[in-house]
Amino acid sequence: MTWFLDHVGEVMTLAGRHLYLAAIPLFIGLLLAMPLGWLAHRYRRLRGPLVAGTGLLYTLPSLALFILLPGLLGTQILDPVNVLVAMTVYTIALLVRTVADGLDAVPSEVRLSATAMGYRGFRRVMQVELALAVPVIAAGLRVAAVSNVSIVSVAAIIGVSQLGSLFTDGFNRNFLDPIIVGIVACVALALILDLLVVAGARALTPWQRAGGGS
């Protein structure tokens, strides 16, 4: 506790960088996973290749990806863009199946009723189907959020500054305090992101709150 109070400014700065590297890919990955998930839902012949192909991306070792991306993107090894791209890849890998499953869970009767009311094509997908798929997508997004916070810390090994830097600093100096603070901060950050996803899902599904209160 004494070490944390003496370095609170440094920890907050690292936490802000960590949040940036974990949260921005979560948003971008969701935007990219939505059309891919819709394709997997809409065209059954594409479902297997899309879900399996994107799922395989998650098997890529994070450290290897952090090292390879500078050569592919033309960036420097310490450029945060490498981490942002890598975490976006992992987010897509987790969410394509989730989006497809969420759309699959929308009852066919709802789609028919929406079509009868004049909701067709893209409008029906955006205003009806995706709205009803929010609980399923949010569940996958929560997993991705926690996963991102965990994987981002690995980037400290190649010198990208964030909460993982507390781990490497503690190990290098054989000093336990920054390691413990880093662990607690990562858990707190993951919890904050999880609560934000839950709050966003609740805001997008007011009918569930109304149903729960009746």
Side-chain angles (χ1 to χ4, degrees):
M1 189 64 183
T2 302
W3 186 92
F4 170 70
L5 292 176
D6 290 340
H7 298 81
V8 63
E10 176 189 353
V11 173
M12 292 297 104
T13 298
L14 294 174
R17 293 174 182 170
H18 203 111
L19 179 62
Y20 170 75
L21 294 172
I24 296 300
L26 198 65
F27 178 72
I28 298 174
L30 176 61
L31 291 181
L32 295 175
M34 285 173 62
L36 294 174
W38 177 81
L39 287 173
H41 158 75
R42 179 67 177 80
Y43 302 101
R44 294 298 172 176
R45 287 180 296 180
L46 295 178
R47 186 182 182 92
L50 279 173
V51 171
T54 54
L56 284 174
L57 295 174
Y58 200 74
T59 65
L60 297 173
S62 56
L63 183 57
L65 194 56
F66 292 148
I67 294 173
L68 288 174
L69 279 174
L72 298 174
L73 301 175
T75 54
Q76 299 297 316
I77 189 70
L78 296 182
D79 196 327
V81 170
N82 302 319
V83 181
L84 292 173
V85 171
M87 300 316 303
T88 300
V89 168
Y90 288 131
T91 301
I92 293 171
L94 288 174
L95 291 184
V96 169
R97 179 188 289 274
T98 299
V99 173
D101 289 344
L103 292 173
D104 288 344
V106 178
S108 58
E109 295 83 359
V110 172
R111 293 192 180 91
L112 292 174
S113 299
T115 301
M117 294 174 64
Y119 291 88
R120 292 181 175 82
F122 182 76
R123 185 183 176 208
R124 188 186 69 186
V125 172
M126 295 301 297
Q127 298 186 12
V128 179
E129 296 181 28
L130 276 177
L132 295 177
V134 163
V136 176
I137 296 174
L141 201 59
R142 293 175 70 184
V143 173
V146 174
S147 175
N148 280 10
V149 172
S150 175
I151 298 176
V152 162
S153 62
V154 177
I157 297 176
I158 61 172
V160 178
S161 179
Q162 27 75 24
L163 288 173
S165 302
L166 297 176
F167 303 152
T168 55
D169 178 54
F171 282 125
N172 289 336
R173 295 192 290 149
N174 195 26
F175 185 37
L176 194 58
D177 288 12
I179 297 175
I180 294 175
V181 170
I183 292 172
V184 173
C186 283
V187 171
L189 200 59
L191 180 60
I192 290 171
L193 276 179
D194 182 73
L195 292 175
L196 287 174
V197 172
V198 171
R202 286 175 59 85
L204 292 172
T205 55
W207 57 87
Q208 288 198 326
R209 298 199 303 275
S214 60

